[in-house]
Amino acid sequence: MTTAAPPLNNTQFPANVTTKNQEQSLYQSSGAIVAAIVVGVIIIFTVVLLILKTYNRHMRVKRELEPKSTKPTIPPALGHKSSTTQPPPATFIPVDIHMQSR
């Protein structure tokens, strides 16, 4: 007596192939999403950099063009001679405490 072989299930083989195709498309789409995020971050950094450069240039030009008389007058340093006569600064002479009187 011969036994009949069980019939082959042809639907299982294509389902396995479609699962691999879906998995491959998921990997490709996730790679594309990561690439899009990286490109987006680069574009955002570029825009921020350009805005900061423009702001820096604008502020530098504004500082260079503003009148110099708005700055408060700074008194001259001690080493510089000024046109007005000032009394000489008082000199401090420390007294030696351990000095013996004779």
Side-chain angles (χ1 to χ4, degrees):
M1 203 178 199
T2 62
T3 57
L8 294 174
N9 190 356
N10 290 337
T11 59
Q12 189 177 18
F13 181 71
N16 192 11
V17 171
T18 55
T19 305
K20 287 187 179 182
N21 285 340
Q22 288 174 345
E23 194 174 311
Q24 185 179 8
S25 69
L26 283 175
Y27 282 131
Q28 287 176 348
S29 64
S30 65
I33 290 171
V34 169
I37 290 172
V38 168
V39 168
V41 167
I42 290 173
I43 289 173
I44 289 171
F45 279 139
T46 305
V47 168
V48 169
L49 178 71
L50 290 174
I51 289 171
L52 287 175
K53 279 181 68 174
T54 306
Y55 176 75
N56 189 21
R57 183 176 298 140
H58 174 71
M59 292 307 290
R60 186 187 58 182
V61 167
K62 186 177 177 182
R63 280 193 308 264
E64 288 176 355
L65 291 179
E66 73 182 4
K68 303 291 181 184
S69 63
T70 59
K71 293 183 179 178
T73 57
I74 301 172
L78 293 176
H80 298 289
K81 293 184 178 179
S82 62
S83 60
T84 60
T85 59
Q86 296 179 350
T91 37
F92 177 74
I93 303 172
V95 178
D96 192 2
I97 298 173
H98 302 290
M99 192 177 200
Q100 296 177 356
S101 33
R102 297 183 184 188

